[in-house]
């Protein structure tokens, strides 16, 4: 069995994904794991963070530690080139301007998709014990992680069409008709399209295997960042991706006496308390606001010490998914784990895609996915540390 451990670092822009991912990578390598850190964020900053040169290929930067910054254009070209050429000629044959055809034949966000293929390759090669992925900011990454769902559907449709329509009917007919030949994909293009979809489905299996893959959500103790992280957690869980800890970065230390920063300190402490309420039972790790930028091996090492203490940074800190949706014929149930809540009378209300659950005198709010946001919650029960909220189907 392939035991390569993959750890994604996700979160809003600027919260400290690259820094915490880099610190984790250094620790992992020091612990003797063959480690690769790769960045899928087109705005790469691994080289700056490590203060070293990372060339276009996999670069050894420390003992046991390699780094790789994905070149999205190269990935796009090598994976999509053949299919894009076919689509372009098809688009031109339909009357589009040649200069536009190349653009039209590339779906936005596709470059991100091909980063996943690279992760798959490294995973399959079993060349590393640990692969650390520094991701693009949340919105982008969530799309990246959810894409395999759409792909599994596309593969089914492709296979169906190929089997019942294209192979037996259209392709033979196209031998006789020039206009049909212009629109039907040649066999090799159809094959490379199918292979691409199959590879992407493989990626999905890697993402879902919770014993080897998990995501760490990085956030700062600020309202907007916390909201977005909550939303990210809901979605990641629903896509079947395990989040194994929350990293609260840039906490002003208790020792700061300065009055200006003391206000910030109090505010952060309030937000931190909220983070514990919102994200428990997930483990929450905290990192202080350093005096200066965290750049270079020495500072990254210090940060790793704050983050993991003596723990093995590659450990899977949590493996349950605290958010689930259970769909039955009549209803949809939004289930959230909330082990530290005292049982009491439950009241529900919604505001946009936010669901507020009041249990006794405790109020908790959750971001619900779009599939539930038009529906009203009918009732809720709290058993065995889980709140089950029922939504009636229209
Ligand atoms: N705990 C911290 N204390 C001080 N500076 C930090 C801390 N974490 C990150 N930084 C700095 O903040 C900036 C942004 O961090 P970075 O990891 O690049 O964010 P992201 O990858 O989420 O966009 C960097 O200059 C980094 O050195
Ligand atoms: Mg970054």
């Amino acid at each position: 069995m392939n035991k390569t451990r993959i750890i994604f670092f996700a979160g809003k822009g600027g919260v400290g994904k690259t820094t915490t991912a880099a610190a984790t990578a250094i620790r992992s390598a020091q612990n003797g794991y063959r480690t690769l850190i790769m960045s899928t964020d087109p705005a790469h900053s691994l080289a700056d963070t490590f203060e070293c040169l990372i060339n276009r290929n996999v670069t050894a930067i420390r003992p046991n530690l390699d780094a790789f910054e994905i070149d999205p254009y190269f990935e796009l070209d090598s994976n999509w080139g053949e299919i894009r050429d076919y689509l372009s000629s098809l688009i031109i044959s339909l009357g589009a301007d040649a200069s536009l055809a190349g653009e039209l034949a590339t779906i936005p966000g596709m470059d991100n998709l091909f980063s996943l293929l690279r992760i798959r390759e490294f995973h399959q090669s079993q060349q590393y014990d640990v692969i650390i992925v520094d991701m693009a900011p949340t919105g982008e990454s969530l799309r990246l992680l959810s894409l395999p769902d759409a792909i599994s559907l596309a593969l089914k449709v492709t296979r169906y069409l190929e089997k019942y329509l294209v192979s037996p009917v259209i392709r033979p007919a196209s031998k006789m008709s020039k206009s049909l030949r212009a629109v039907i994909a040649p066999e090799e293009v159809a094959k490379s399209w199918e292979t691409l979809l199959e590879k992407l489905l493989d990626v999905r299996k890697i993402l879902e295997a919770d014993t080897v893959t998990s995501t760490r959500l990085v956030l700062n103790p600020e309202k907007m960042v916390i909201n977005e992280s909550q939303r990210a957690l809901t979605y990641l869980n629903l896509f079947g991706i395990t989040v194994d800890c929350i990293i609260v970065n840039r906490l002003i230390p208790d020792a700061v006496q300065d009055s200006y920063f003391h206000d910030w300190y109090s505010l952060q402490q309030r937000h931190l308390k909220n983070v514990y309420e919102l994200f428990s039972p997930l483990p929450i790790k905290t990192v202080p606001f350093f005096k200066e930028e965290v750049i270079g091996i020495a500072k990254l090492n210090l940060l790793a010490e704050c983050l993991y203490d003596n723990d093995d940074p590659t450990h899977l800190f949590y493996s349950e998914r605290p958010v689930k949706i259970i769909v039955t014929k009549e209803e949809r149930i939004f289930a959230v784990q909330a082990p530290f809540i005292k049982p009491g009378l439950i009241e529900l209300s919604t505001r946009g895609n936010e669901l507020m659950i009041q249990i006794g005198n405790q109020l908790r709010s959750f971001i619900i996915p779009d599939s539930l946001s038009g529906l009203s919650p009918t009732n809720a029960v709290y058993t065995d540390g889980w709140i089950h909220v029922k939504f009636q189907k229209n």
Side-chain angles (χ1 to χ4, degrees):
M1 189 194 145
N2 188 334
K3 290 212 173 74
T4 314
R5 173 85 168 93
I6 305 178
I7 311 172
F8 289 97
F9 282 77
K12 215 168 174 320
V15 292
K17 294 176 296 296
T18 305
T19 313
T20 48
T24 307
I26 289 180
R27 251 307 151 86
S28 161
Q30 280 166 352
N31 286 2
Y33 299 112
R34 293 166 304 161
T35 307
L36 170 75
I37 181 162
M38 61 189 277
S39 148
T40 65
D41 186 347
H44 295 301
S45 58
L46 284 183
D48 289 338
T49 304
F50 283 108
E51 282 186 318
C52 67
L53 275 177
I54 297 176
N55 56 39
R56 273 190 58 178
N57 304 313
V58 174
T59 313
I61 55 170
R62 310 240 323 140
N64 277 336
L65 181 57
D66 290 354
F68 178 53
E69 295 184 328
I70 284 183
D71 175 350
Y73 301 107
F74 175 77
E75 301 300 324
L76 186 72
D77 225 49
S78 47
N79 288 293
W80 190 242
E82 201 178 357
I83 302 165
R84 184 188 47 201
D85 290 348
Y86 159 70
L87 285 179
S88 306
S89 59
L90 178 65
I91 291 167
I92 292 168
S93 78
L94 293 174
D97 190 80
S99 59
L100 261 182
E103 292 300 316
L104 291 173
T106 306
I107 300 164
M110 197 161 237
D111 42 349
N112 280 328
L113 190 63
F114 298 126
S115 318
L116 285 177
L117 290 184
R118 265 311 173 105
I119 300 172
R120 169 183 174 272
E121 272 168 34
F122 288 122
H123 181 261
Q124 282 189 340
S125 77
Q126 301 201 29
Q127 183 184 351
Y128 296 102
D129 303 309
V130 182
I131 299 172
I132 290 170
V133 188
D134 171 25
M135 303 197 72
T138 338
E140 286 291 303
S141 348
L142 280 183
R143 210 174 48 201
L144 181 72
L145 295 174
S146 66
L147 273 169
D149 263 334
I151 287 149
S152 116
L153 183 66
L155 184 62
K156 275 193 203 134
V157 173
T158 303
R159 284 197 178 134
Y160 188 87
L161 288 179
E162 187 66 37
K163 187 168 173 196
Y164 294 106
L165 200 61
V166 180
S167 273
V169 185
I170 301 184
R171 210 168 277 122
S174 73
K175 292 205 169 73
M176 279 163 279
S177 149
K178 194 168 172 238
S179 50
L180 201 52
R181 220 166 21 246
V183 292
I184 195 74
E187 227 150 334
E188 37 327 330
V189 173
K191 193 70 220 151
S192 81
W193 167 245
E194 196 172 322
T195 314
L196 177 64
L197 293 176
E198 276 163 2
K199 282 188 193 163
L200 287 165
L201 275 193
D202 245 18
V203 171
R204 185 198 164 88
K205 284 190 211 125
I206 299 172
L207 293 177
E208 283 183 348
D210 44 61
T211 49
V212 290
T213 309
S214 70
T215 295
R216 295 188 179 161
L217 261 182
V218 187
L219 56 88
N220 300 140
E222 290 165 25
K223 194 169 185 339
M224 300 299 177
V225 183
I226 295 172
N227 283 353
E228 184 165 326
S229 310
Q230 240 195 312
R231 183 182 153 79
L233 177 67
T234 301
Y235 274 96
L236 288 167
N237 273 281
L238 295 179
F239 293 142
I241 292 155
T242 305
V243 174
D244 82 327
C245 78
I246 303 286
I247 298 174
V248 185
N249 186 27
R250 284 216 196 92
L251 272 174
I252 296 173
D254 297 346
V256 169
Q257 292 300 328
D258 181 278
S259 70
Y260 185 88
F261 281 106
H262 198 268
D263 287 350
W264 267 109
Y265 170 82
S266 309
L267 184 69
Q268 283 200 346
Q269 289 300 312
R270 281 206 299 281
H271 284 312
L272 181 63
K273 188 167 166 274
N274 202 17
V275 169
Y276 278 98
E277 282 170 6
L278 291 172
F279 293 97
S280 66
L282 275 173
I284 290 155
K285 298 189 176 286
T286 56
V287 178
F289 203 145
F290 279 57
K291 278 190 190 152
E292 43 195 347
E293 285 177 315
V294 189
I295 288 174
I297 304 294
K299 282 184 215 138
L300 289 168
N301 247 322
L302 271 180
L303 191 140
E305 227 167 279
C306 302
L307 184 53
Y308 298 112
D309 202 7
N310 287 324
D311 289 343
D312 181 336
T314 70
H315 185 70
L316 184 76
F317 294 111
Y318 195 78
S319 60
E320 268 206 66
R321 290 186 196 128
V323 182
K324 288 182 202 159
I325 289 203
I326 304 156
V327 181
T328 68
K329 266 197 181 133
E330 296 81 30
E331 57 201 5
R332 286 167 185 264
I333 298 168
F334 180 68
V336 279
Q337 210 182 12
F340 304 124
I341 281 190
K342 291 189 205 83
L345 187 70
I346 306 182
E347 281 174 62
L348 303 167
S349 55
T350 50
R351 192 177 53 202
N353 64 350
E354 204 177 348
L355 169 71
M356 266 81 67
I357 307 177
Q358 173 105 32
I359 304 188
N361 59 4
Q362 307 144 90
L363 179 72
R364 294 197 55 175
S365 75
F366 300 90
I367 304 293
I368 49 173
D370 293 343
S371 62
L372 293 178
S373 58
L375 312 178
S376 351
T378 49
N379 73 319
V381 282
Y382 180 59
T383 41
D384 298 332
W386 284 82
I387 307 170
H388 282 96
V389 183
K390 291 184 184 165
F391 286 77
Q392 208 71 44
K393 276 191 183 171
N394 289 332

